[in-house]
Amino acid sequence: MIDRRSSPAFLVLSAALLLPWGAASAQGVDEAAATALMKKSGCLKCHAVSAKKDGPSFQETAAKFKGKADAEQKLRAFITTSPKIKVDGKEEEHEALKSKEDAAIKNVVQYILTR
Ligand code: HEC
């Protein structure tokens, strides 16, 4: 009989489940959670990973902040405090993430910065 608990797939799965969800580092971004929260918040109407829509692509933003020590802080503020922006020449408030949860916000920031 095969001991399923020593199979590689089981070990990988266990390791994934043991990772604390909030500990989103550059390596540990929960992409599904980031995308789901941005979808729920309406972000993807104006942003995509590589294509420019009304807003810059996430790759463009990642490049803009690459190597900047205050990148996380700046982006966090941008996507939680509804700053004024211009869309098609018309001033409006930038959409804020529909979450107050620190770990979830951080996960989205890291998702964007690592595109
Ligand atoms: C109505 C369209 C629209 C929606 C919805 C929208 N954005 Fe934006 N976003 C923009 C525009 C336009 C800019 C560029 C603003 C500027 O540079 O002044 C921008 C800029 C950004 C930037 C770059 C900030 C920087 O300092 O370079 C990020 C990151 C971003 N948005 C993330 C998000 C997230 C996350 C959401 C959802 C909570 C979201 N956006 C929703 C239009 C939108």
Side-chain angles (χ1 to χ4, degrees):
M1 190 181 122
I2 300 164
D3 179 7
R4 300 188 58 197
R5 278 186 294 179
S6 62
S7 76
F10 182 85
L11 293 178
V12 167
L13 185 64
S14 320
L17 291 173
L18 286 173
L19 278 177
W21 186 77
S25 66
Q27 294 79 32
V29 175
D30 185 337
E31 305 208 348
T35 308
L37 176 54
M38 286 197 286
K39 200 166 177 191
K40 183 175 126 189
S41 309
C43 315
L44 304 181
K45 279 186 298 194
C46 296
H47 295 281
V49 171
S50 59
K52 184 171 164 40
K53 295 171 125 182
D54 277 337
S57 73
F58 294 140
Q59 285 176 351
E60 189 182 328
T61 300
K64 173 178 161 190
F65 285 97
K66 197 171 168 60
K68 300 222 164 81
D70 60 353
E72 181 175 332
Q73 196 196 332
K74 284 247 171 79
L75 278 195
R76 175 184 282 263
F78 197 89
I79 63 176
T80 55
T81 62
S82 311
K84 292 265 191 292
I85 57 159
K86 283 210 164 140
V87 180
D88 288 336
K90 197 170 116 282
E91 187 164 275
E92 51 180 86
E93 283 190 355
H94 189 257
E95 195 64 59
L97 275 182
K98 294 204 188 326
S99 173
K100 300 272 173 244
E101 210 187 309
D102 191 67
I105 295 166
K106 184 174 173 153
N107 187 52
V108 168
V109 169
Q110 288 303 331
Y111 172 88
I112 295 171
L113 289 175
T114 52
R115 288 316 91 190

